[in-house]
Amino acid sequence: MKKHKEMEGFSFVMGLIDTVSPFGTQKKRNLKVYSTQEELSKELQKTKEFSVKVVELEETCEKLLSYLRELKDIRALVDAASKNQVLTVVDLFELKYFLHRMHKVEALWKKFEEEDLLPERLPHLTKLLDPKGENLSTFYIYEEYDERLRFVRE
């Protein structure tokens, strides 16, 4: 009976947590009950410290939430690319747009000093999709991708 009540409480608390991105949803899904009082106390302290930062950095927090809301789950695209499947121009745009937004998220997130919550960085992919380093959130098939493109376009 005690275990059932504990799980009810956990479910209630989990229901109070709103996520704004697919990555937050995955993190929430993977959350576990703390096994020791020490782990729980440590996490509670981190949460208190973070909540102070959220209040101090309210404007930054709003911008960050705005960028996170725009993110789509691109794991299937990354998986397809890693299996050498051909991606469409729309897929490539989605990847580049995601990376562009993630750079903005990272810049804002650094103010919170919580590096462990950021998704894995993909700088090699950014360089591939933006060979000129223009940092635009549009997609264009650059001649730098393949020398033959220049001759086709001339």
Side-chain angles (χ1 to χ4, degrees):
M1 184 67 152
K2 183 179 178 184
K3 189 74 164 169
H4 176 70
K5 283 188 176 186
E6 287 175 6
M7 286 311 295
E8 239 178 49
F10 182 72
S11 296
F12 174 75
V13 170
M14 292 300 285
L16 296 174
I17 299 173
D18 291 326
T19 59
V20 295
S21 76
F23 305 100
T25 303
Q26 181 185 10
K27 278 261 192 211
K28 179 181 172 180
R29 203 175 311 128
N30 292 335
L31 285 176
K32 305 268 187 281
V33 177
Y34 293 101
S35 56
T36 66
Q37 181 67 35
E38 183 181 327
E39 286 179 357
L40 180 60
S41 295
K42 188 176 178 181
E43 194 60 35
L44 188 58
Q45 183 60 37
K46 282 175 56 178
T47 302
K48 285 178 183 177
E49 291 169 6
F50 188 76
S51 65
V52 169
K53 289 179 188 176
V54 167
V55 172
E56 290 172 357
L57 300 168
E58 184 178 358
E59 189 175 312
T60 299
C61 192
E62 289 301 318
K63 283 183 189 174
L64 182 62
L65 287 172
S66 172
Y67 291 143
L68 288 171
R69 283 186 194 100
E70 294 176 14
L71 294 179
K72 292 184 179 180
D73 189 347
I74 61 155
R75 287 176 282 208
L77 291 177
V78 172
D79 186 50
S82 69
K83 294 177 180 171
N84 291 325
Q85 295 176 359
V86 177
L87 301 180
T88 67
V89 172
V90 173
D91 292 340
L92 294 170
F93 170 78
E94 289 290 343
L95 285 170
K96 185 176 179 187
Y97 186 80
F98 174 85
L99 294 168
H100 186 261
R101 282 293 175 237
M102 279 307 300
H103 288 297
K104 291 183 179 238
V105 165
E106 287 174 14
L108 292 173
W109 192 253
K110 286 179 182 177
K111 295 179 181 183
F112 289 95
E113 300 169 359
E114 293 290 333
E115 295 291 324
D116 60 323
L117 293 176
L118 282 172
E120 181 183 344
R121 298 191 72 217
L122 302 168
H124 56 288
L125 194 52
T126 301
K127 186 155 179 62
L128 279 173
L129 294 173
D130 189 9
K132 290 185 175 181
E134 294 174 330
N135 201 27
L136 300 173
S137 60
T138 58
F139 183 73
Y140 176 74
I141 298 178
Y142 295 94
E143 292 169 357
E144 285 80 5
Y145 292 150
D146 190 325
E147 280 296 315
R148 295 173 287 185
L149 281 174
R150 184 171 321 191
F151 297 113
V152 171
R153 288 183 172 159
E154 288 179 350

